Amino acid sequence: MSRKIPLSWLQLTRERTRLAVALAGIAFADILMFMQLGFRDALYYSNVRLHTSLLGDIVLINSQSNAVLSMKSFSQRRLYKALELPTVQSVHPIYLDYTSWKNPITGRPRNLLVFGINPEINIFNLPGVEENLDKIKLPDVVLFDRSSRQEYGPIAADFEQGKTVTAEVRRRKIKVVGLFTLGASFGADGNLITSDVNFFRLFNNRQQGLIDIGLIRLKLGADATAVAQDLRNYLPTDIHVLTKQEFIDFERNYWASSTAIGFIFTLGTIMGFIVGTVIVYQILYTEVSDHLSEYATLKAIGYTQKYLLIVILQEALLLACLGYIPGWIFTMLMYQKAREATLLPVFMSYERAILVLILTIAMCFFSGTIAVRKLRSADPADIF
């Protein structure tokens, strides 16, 4: 029976303590990569949930805008000018701005993002918006994002219990008349939706006629890419015309390339890969060094350097697979804790699970390839 057991497995399991340390090191490297990639993807996903929810085909923004975090206003006449194209069905202005919300329990202020829309037409594919549109036609009322952070107070819980919920927003008393679900992001911890009229009541310093986002719906059968190009040729250059997917990519690229956050998470992933490589190399190098005489014996009886390389790479593959499993399990627990603490969409995806597995195997193979160079010194003539 022992002849059927691979030599690589016998080598690894001979020192159980060393094997346990190796697996712990690989699991640690996997957890580090998983967490960095998880937070990076949560950053990207949370900041484009608004973009994804828009019920439209084309978006207009000021050409000087970089992201929702720093939108520049533009004249709504640019948006209504798009109606002159025969393929455009309707246009919808969106106002947005950051302001201070005072926690009704503690009185502590905290910034959140406010959206102003025309309550006659729903433009958000978000739970809780469409059924509450009529309510925000009243003065000084808002819809509150139930997925906002707890620092804003127990707003959703009190509202669901039937309590009257009021708060101070921008030194103006408002009433919460409904809940919707969008979620916190790296740019905003909380969100409100209200009518365009109420928006200007809150932001009385804003000039009417200047909007932040222009949403365009096309007629059935119209090609969004072609119409967007027509609009680029038709509208002045101070307007950036984007399809819905381009608008999503525009926001994502901002966080990936124009901020330090995306770079930091990517760097953390690379560091995890390097740490794992060093750990596996140390384990395999020690393994080779401790059994150098045995490898020399194998060479003496006719086994080639290629065969010995395969044995080491088999050990590397076993280490990668065995170390990946506890790393994945522990990461799932960490993701759950991170979601509860930050309310960010930190979830495991199939793509990320496969990517980290591939990185783990590559990490171990790379380490094994370096460590096997030690076998070149396994000369039977020198040892015997």
Side-chain angles (χ1 to χ4, degrees):
M1 292 296 293
S2 60
R3 295 179 180 178
K4 297 181 180 180
I5 300 176
L7 176 60
S8 55
W9 176 253
L10 293 174
Q11 290 277 73
L12 284 178
T13 55
R14 181 172 176 272
E15 294 285 345
R16 299 296 177 89
T17 302
R18 181 184 297 171
L19 175 62
V21 171
L23 297 183
I26 295 171
F28 172 76
D30 285 345
I31 292 168
L32 185 56
M33 289 190 289
F34 269 128
M35 296 306 296
Q36 297 297 317
L37 291 172
F39 280 123
R40 188 198 66 179
D41 292 346
L43 160 70
Y44 296 152
Y45 178 76
S46 66
N47 282 293
V48 300
R49 279 187 291 199
L50 166 68
H51 308 58
T52 306
S53 71
L54 291 175
L55 296 173
D57 304 291
I58 294 176
V59 174
L60 304 185
I61 59 175
N62 191 311
S63 59
Q64 296 182 358
S65 296
N66 295 320
V68 169
L69 190 65
S70 57
M71 297 296 289
K72 305 293 183 182
S73 301
F74 64 96
S75 174
Q76 64 181 1
R77 288 179 297 178
R78 300 282 195 264
L79 177 62
Y80 289 111
K81 193 173 178 63
L83 286 170
E84 298 175 7
L85 270 66
T87 49
V88 174
Q89 178 179 332
S90 60
V91 296
H92 309 277
I94 302 175
Y95 308 89
L96 60 89
D97 212 333
Y98 288 87
T99 192
S100 176
W101 163 286
K102 185 175 289 187
N103 187 315
I105 306 300
T106 64
R108 293 180 180 177
R110 191 178 183 90
N111 280 354
L112 46 57
L113 186 57
V114 183
F115 300 97
I117 61 173
N118 181 353
E120 297 295 335
I121 302 175
N122 181 32
I123 59 172
F124 292 125
N125 182 24
L126 296 172
V129 174
E130 186 172 12
E131 55 267 37
N132 288 310
L133 282 180
D134 287 339
K135 297 178 182 179
I136 61 174
K137 295 178 181 178
L138 300 174
D140 296 323
V141 298
V142 298
L143 304 181
F144 184 82
D145 183 2
R146 59 162 53 89
S147 298
S148 299
R149 290 181 60 85
Q150 295 299 318
E151 286 82 353
Y152 296 101
I155 309 301
D158 288 350
F159 182 84
E160 290 172 345
Q161 292 174 8
K163 298 179 182 179
T164 300
V165 180
T166 60
E168 185 179 316
V169 177
R170 204 175 173 83
R171 298 182 180 179
R172 190 180 185 95
K173 186 177 181 180
I174 57 94
K175 180 181 178 181
V176 176
V177 295
L179 303 174
F180 71 100
T181 303
L182 175 57
S185 69
F186 279 72
D189 291 332
N191 305 281
L192 299 178
I193 292 178
T194 189
S195 68
D196 45 8
V197 176
N198 282 325
F199 182 88
F200 284 108
R201 287 195 180 103
L202 291 173
F203 300 93
N204 50 23
N205 61 327
R206 289 282 299 262
Q207 182 180 346
Q208 296 192 22
L210 294 180
I211 65 177
D212 299 291
I213 298 175
L215 183 65
I216 299 175
R217 290 179 179 173
L218 303 179
K219 293 181 180 178
L220 187 65
D223 181 68
T225 303
V227 176
Q229 186 58 49
D230 292 340
L231 286 170
R232 293 186 189 105
N233 298 330
Y234 186 63
L235 296 176
T237 56
D238 61 342
I239 300 300
H240 197 176
V241 181
L242 303 164
T243 64
K244 181 179 176 180
Q245 184 58 50
E246 288 173 344
F247 188 41
I248 295 172
D249 296 338
F250 177 79
E251 184 79 19
R252 180 187 176 96
N253 292 336
Y254 169 80
W255 289 96
S257 59
S258 299
T259 66
I261 300 177
F263 172 78
I264 290 172
F265 287 138
T266 302
L267 180 62
T269 304
I270 296 173
M271 292 303 298
F273 181 87
I274 294 174
V275 168
T277 300
V278 172
I279 292 173
V280 177
Y281 170 74
Q282 290 291 340
I283 295 297
L284 293 179
Y285 182 86
T286 304
E287 186 73 27
V288 171
S289 298
D290 289 352
H291 298 89
L292 202 57
S293 59
E294 288 89 341
Y295 286 121
T297 302
L298 291 175
K299 277 188 173 183
I301 62 177
Y303 287 95
T304 63
Q305 179 79 10
K306 182 179 178 181
Y307 171 80
L308 299 180
L309 172 62
I310 292 174
V311 171
I312 299 300
L313 292 182
Q314 285 177 346
E315 291 187 31
L317 180 61
L318 287 170
L319 287 172
C321 296
L322 293 175
Y324 177 84
I325 295 173
W328 183 88
I329 294 173
F330 193 78
T331 298
M332 295 298 290
L333 299 176
M334 295 291 288
Y335 278 0
Q336 181 180 352
K337 295 298 181 182
R339 286 196 304 272
E340 295 172 354
T342 65
L343 298 182
L344 290 173
V346 187
F347 294 96
M348 179 65 72
S349 65
Y350 290 110
E351 293 82 3
R352 191 181 313 132
I354 294 173
L355 173 61
V356 173
L357 177 59
I358 293 173
L359 288 175
T360 306
I361 294 174
M363 170 179 79
C364 294
F365 271 23
F366 181 70
S367 302
T369 303
I370 299 175
V372 81
R373 289 161 51 184
K374 179 69 174 176
L375 290 178
R376 298 183 186 275
S377 62
D379 190 346
D382 293 336
I383 296 176
F384 299 101

